[in-house]
Amino acid sequence: MSIATNLLGIKTSLPEHVTLVAVSKTKPVSDLMEAYEAGQRIFGENKIQEMADKWEEMPKDIQWHMIGHVQTNKVKFMAPFVSLIHGVDSLKLLQEINKQALKNNRIIDCLLQIYIAEEETKFGLDQDELDSLLASNEFKELKNIQIVGLMGMATFTDNKDQIKKEFTQLKTIFDKTKNLEIEKCPLETLSMGMSGDYQLAIECGSTMVRIGSSIFGGRN
């Protein structure tokens, strides 16, 4: 199956309110261009340098999403063009994004990463950390970022009940936070679900899915 065929198959299966991020990390520009020609405009990368190189080379109507763990010293390389930063898990990182956004005269959209998995390897904030971050004076001082949603990654397991429990937990946190109507925090996006579990994520309330291998094939 071609990339275009895979992409269109997934797109037609998604509800209208769900945004598809094509996870293109490690894939060559020729693969991304095949998806682009088939109508895809949102691509997700997990390495800032690779994303910047592709941004230079590819059409400028593409929205680039940073979906990997972000090191503060690399933020400056993507600040001129990144559309959405997914895995924001600390005030320190938000402050750096704000600083670099200001330098580029931009407001950068971010998703706060919530820790829902039963795995030590995943990053993210718990409910208490999220609440205290959003209530802090330091957060209120940040003028060049906007928190447009939350994201999370379920445990890597075949146990569908566990995955569903984790997705449901994230949706509950999302709804609770949205109801607080915090300034600079217009929560619209709930990013959860990847190639293996995106249908379940959508059932649990996801509005954005990150799909790579089902579009581009396995990674080397």
Side-chain angles (χ1 to χ4, degrees), residues 12-49:
T12 51
S13 77
L14 293 179
E16 254 179 50
H17 69 279
V18 176
T19 301
L20 171 63
V21 180
V23 177
S24 48
K25 58 186 186 184
T26 77
K27 296 296 177 183
V29 166
S30 57
D31 284 8
L32 277 71
M33 282 308 300
E34 191 179 330
Y36 179 88
E37 298 296 344
Q40 183 62 19
R41 292 294 180 273
I42 303 175
F43 292 92
E45 293 282 331
N46 71 335
K47 290 197 165 62
I48 291 174
Q49 193 54 59

Side-chain angles (χ1 to χ4, degrees), residues 18-212:
V18 176
T19 301
L20 171 63
V21 180
V23 177
S24 48
K25 58 186 186 184
T26 77
K27 296 296 177 183
V29 166
S30 57
D31 284 8
L32 277 71
M33 282 308 300
E34 191 179 330
Y36 179 88
E37 298 296 344
Q40 183 62 19
R41 292 294 180 273
I42 303 175
F43 292 92
E45 293 282 331
N46 71 335
K47 290 197 165 62
I48 291 174
Q49 193 54 59
E50 183 181 344
M51 183 170 72
D53 291 346
K54 287 172 176 172
W55 170 71
E56 290 278 351
E57 211 174 317
M58 291 182 65
K60 292 300 174 266
D61 61 338
I62 290 172
Q63 292 180 34
W64 293 98
H65 287 203
M66 179 63 197
I67 61 170
H69 189 65
V70 178
Q71 295 169 293
T72 48
N73 62 342
K74 300 274 176 68
V75 172
K76 58 180 177 282
F77 299 114
M78 65 175 169
F81 68 88
V82 70
S83 286
L84 183 63
I85 302 174
H86 282 235
V88 180
D89 61 356
S90 70
L91 178 63
K92 184 181 161 209
L93 179 55
L94 270 181
Q95 288 170 325
E96 182 62 25
I97 295 167
N98 185 75
K99 179 175 136 187
Q100 299 301 336
L102 180 60
K103 283 184 186 173
N104 287 276
N105 198 24
R106 297 185 67 207
I107 291 172
I108 294 179
D109 288 346
C110 300
L111 301 179
L112 292 176
Q113 181 164 359
I114 307 303
Y115 184 85
I116 53 171
E118 291 180 15
E119 287 172 8
E120 289 303 311
T121 53
K122 300 274 196 295
F123 297 94
L125 304 159
D126 64 24
Q127 176 84 64
D128 292 342
E129 290 166 334
L130 172 69
D131 292 345
S132 60
L133 169 65
L134 294 178
S136 70
N137 289 327
E138 292 92 339
F139 174 73
K140 290 171 183 148
E141 285 164 10
L142 305 177
K143 303 292 184 223
N144 287 73
I145 55 110
Q146 186 166 242
I147 306 299
V148 296
L150 304 179
M151 65 84 66
M153 292 162 78
T155 304
F156 190 69
T157 174
D158 292 330
N159 183 342
K160 289 276 190 281
D161 290 337
Q162 183 175 349
I163 295 170
K164 186 174 183 179
K165 186 185 90 182
E166 291 167 0
F167 284 157
T168 304
Q169 179 193 349
L170 182 54
K171 176 68 162 80
T172 303
I173 294 171
F174 176 82
D175 290 340
K176 185 181 162 200
T177 311
K178 188 179 170 72
N179 287 339
L180 296 174
E181 296 185 351
I182 297 163
E183 197 187 342
K184 286 202 307 293
C185 200
L187 295 193
E188 290 148 13
T189 300
L190 181 55
S191 172
M192 59 186 190
M194 301 190 285
S195 288
D197 57 18
Y198 71 90
Q199 280 126 332
L200 182 55
I202 291 166
E203 282 171 33
C204 295
S206 174
T207 66
M208 180 178 282
V209 292
R210 310 178 297 273
I211 300 178

